[in-house]
Amino acid sequence: MSDTILQCRNIKKTYPRLSLDLDFSVSQGELVSIIGPSDSGKSTVLKLIAGFVNPDSGIVAIDGQVVTHLPTEKRNTAVVFHDYALFPHMNVEQNVAYSLKQRKIAKDDMIPEIRRLLELVNLSGFEKRGIEDLAADEKLRLALARALASDPCILLLDEPLMLLDSKKRFELRNEIRQIHLKSGVTTVYVTNDKEEALSISDRIIVMKNGKIDQIGTPEDIYRRPGTEFTATFTGECNILPYDVILKTLRVPETERSKVIYQCFGPDHKLLFRPEDMVVNDMPGLPFPEFFPHLRFENAKIIRCEYLGKEYLVTAQYDEFIIKVYTVYRPASDCITAGIRMNKILEFNDGRLIRH
Ligand code: ADP
Ligand code: MG
């Protein structure tokens, strides 16, 4: 996966309320997700790639060809928007055939190709169905088949799961990944759902106010977030100021100042994921003595959310708030939790300085 298929070089685009500034590339066959809050410019990135929007400056290149000023139909991209934009007066087969005809596929190849595409998206047998007779997920499948029928160099998906219920969202995100793997088509996938992106992407681009905050593998983004923004956008975080170290660090008194000095700078923030914390939520069981290094003794529980497979417990420790996951509903109104030093990320001025 090293051949570059898409390049967005020094792209700038200014709107009254958004300044886009981008530089990234995508390799052949990758599935790259773009995540970020609403209005961070995600859809605009897709429009720049597809040619619905022209940049003020910079270059878009697809498959080695600069396409910055080419119209959208000359770019060999296919877009699926969240409303799917199917042709309502055509049935399933005709929707797919439309894209095949654009490609001037021979008549004899048409039926087998339609069959292959519908099979790929799990819509076999739906050939003669009208659009109005399709469930929401079937419409998405058809939109994907129609997009793939144009044999695009790059498939662009803009929040395609937005209209589906949570169960279908879960199913379809995995199917999108399967379809991507089977078809091998390079895919840029916009979503505001971090779990979707983490679960199916080769790499993720995190956008903030029109800029790329971080690009990396899902593991990079989640485990080694480069900024506080990416850390908090991709999951629950504990963010504590340096002072907390002074109160909670568990090392012998003689070592204390050395460890503090070596490990953390004043004004820095410490960041760690709730799932990395060690918690004692079993009544009667002692808290492990040998670790962790920072311990929050008897933090007062202020909220306990049941998430199905676990509880997310929010607790007050001095003036700080900590979040931990527990298997059981805490038996008392306090909880003791700790974190090991090697699980702590250190941030200065919003940027990661050590992990
Ligand atoms: P996202 O998909 O992340 O929600 P968008 O790419 O749709 O974000 O747009 C982000 C912002 O860019 C919009 O809120 C708007 O301020 C600005 N914007 C996008 N397109 C236009 C446009 N055609 N004219 C003016 N402003 C625009
Ligand atoms: Mg959008």
Side-chain angles (χ1 to χ4, degrees):
M1 288 215 298
S2 59
D3 296 347
T4 301
I5 193 88
L6 169 68
Q7 291 184 67
C8 291
R9 288 277 156 261
N10 294 314
I11 299 280
K12 297 206 169 34
K13 178 79 189 173
T14 301
Y15 291 121
R17 296 179 58 206
L18 182 81
S19 284
L20 218 68
D21 188 349
L22 303 164
D23 196 289
F24 69 94
S25 53
V26 173
S27 298
Q28 171 72 48
E30 267 193 308
L31 192 161
V32 174
S33 292
I34 303 180
I35 60 172
S38 299
D39 297 319
S40 55
K42 304 181 296 296
S43 296
T44 308
V45 177
L46 290 197
K47 289 177 191 161
L48 282 157
I49 299 168
F52 298 118
V53 165
N54 284 325
D56 299 336
S57 61
I59 286 173
V60 179
I62 295 176
D63 203 11
Q65 187 194 7
V66 173
V67 298
T68 321
H69 298 291
L70 286 185
T72 177
E73 64 275 12
K74 296 234 167 95
R75 294 194 179 199
N76 203 7
T77 59
V79 193
V80 174
F81 293 108
H82 61 78
D83 61 0
Y84 311 146
L86 296 166
F87 303 123
H89 55 287
M90 297 181 188
N91 66 21
V92 165
E93 185 177 69
Q94 289 161 336
N95 265 276
V96 180
Y98 181 88
S99 293
L100 294 175
K101 281 182 200 148
Q102 304 284 314
R103 268 171 66 201
K104 308 212 175 6
I105 294 278
K107 222 173 170 145
D108 286 352
D109 297 334
M110 203 70 123
I111 297 293
E113 187 59 3
I114 291 172
R115 191 173 300 142
R116 184 188 73 81
L117 286 161
L118 292 182
E119 200 179 300
L120 180 66
V121 301
N122 276 323
L123 269 191
S124 295
F126 282 68
E127 284 78 354
K128 304 296 177 200
R129 284 272 190 106
I131 302 306
E132 66 280 8
D133 293 333
L134 296 179
D137 66 302
E138 292 160 357
K139 286 182 181 158
L140 169 56
R141 293 168 199 278
L142 176 54
L144 290 166
R146 193 184 59 176
L148 292 170
S150 66
D151 195 22
C153 210
I154 303 171
L155 178 63
L156 304 167
L157 307 176
D158 194 355
E159 304 202 36
L161 307 183
M162 198 159 109
L163 300 176
L164 306 183
D165 62 56
S166 59
K167 184 163 174 284
K168 283 274 184 262
R169 280 183 83 113
F170 187 77
E171 281 171 26
L172 266 288
R173 78 182 192 201
N174 290 316
E175 279 201 49
I176 286 176
R177 179 58 157 173
Q178 287 309 313
I179 291 166
H180 162 259
L181 292 172
K182 278 192 211 157
S183 67
V185 67
T186 308
T187 304
V188 182
Y189 179 87
V190 165
T191 175
N192 61 16
D193 185 329
K194 65 198 194 256
E195 276 171 31
E196 254 167 56
L198 289 169
S199 69
I200 66 168
S201 313
D202 294 310
R203 284 188 305 148
I204 297 175
I205 297 175
V206 184
M207 300 269 304
K208 180 190 179 190
N209 297 332
K211 317 268 184 302
I212 293 175
D213 199 68
Q214 187 171 356
I215 304 185
T217 63
E219 290 82 355
D220 283 339
I221 296 288
Y222 190 81
R223 300 301 327 176
R224 292 170 291 281
T227 67
E228 229 178 289
F229 174 82
T230 287
T232 50
F233 192 77
T234 51
E236 295 287 349
C237 283
N238 288 301
I239 302 180
L240 299 174
Y242 169 79
D243 318 3
V244 81
I245 285 284
L246 304 174
K247 295 190 178 159
T248 54
L249 189 66
R250 291 173 60 80
V251 289
E253 205 57 45
T254 48
E255 299 276 308
R256 211 175 154 80
S257 62
K258 192 169 104 203
V259 173
I260 293 172
Y261 176 73
Q262 280 177 353
C263 293
F264 301 107
D267 306 329
H268 292 186
K269 283 188 192 164
L270 318 179
L271 194 146
F272 44 94
R273 300 282 188 193
E275 65 269 27
D276 289 332
M277 297 190 77
V278 181
V279 184
N280 182 11
D281 63 346
M282 286 279 276
L285 265 192
F287 196 81
E289 267 310 320
F290 46 96
F291 73 93
H293 301 102
L294 297 192
R295 186 185 288 197
F296 307 91
E297 305 261 3
N298 296 319
K300 184 151 178 43
I301 295 172
I302 51 180
R303 193 164 58 245
C304 177
E305 295 160 73
Y306 183 47
L307 305 178
K309 68 179 195 305
E310 64 214 339
Y311 296 85
L312 175 60
V313 177
T314 305
Q316 182 99 34
Y317 180 81
D318 286 350
E319 67 264 45
F320 313 118
I321 299 289
I322 57 164
K323 289 182 172 182
V324 299
Y325 291 112
T326 64
V327 178
Y328 303 98
R329 188 178 283 280
S332 75
D333 58 357
C334 285
I335 197 157
T336 291
I339 183 85
R340 302 179 78 156
M341 216 67 126
N342 62 356
K343 299 284 188 187
I344 299 175
L345 304 175
E346 191 179 358
F347 285 75
N348 186 20
D349 214 9
R351 306 222 142 254
L352 181 68
I353 56 167
R354 190 214 311 262
H355 60 82

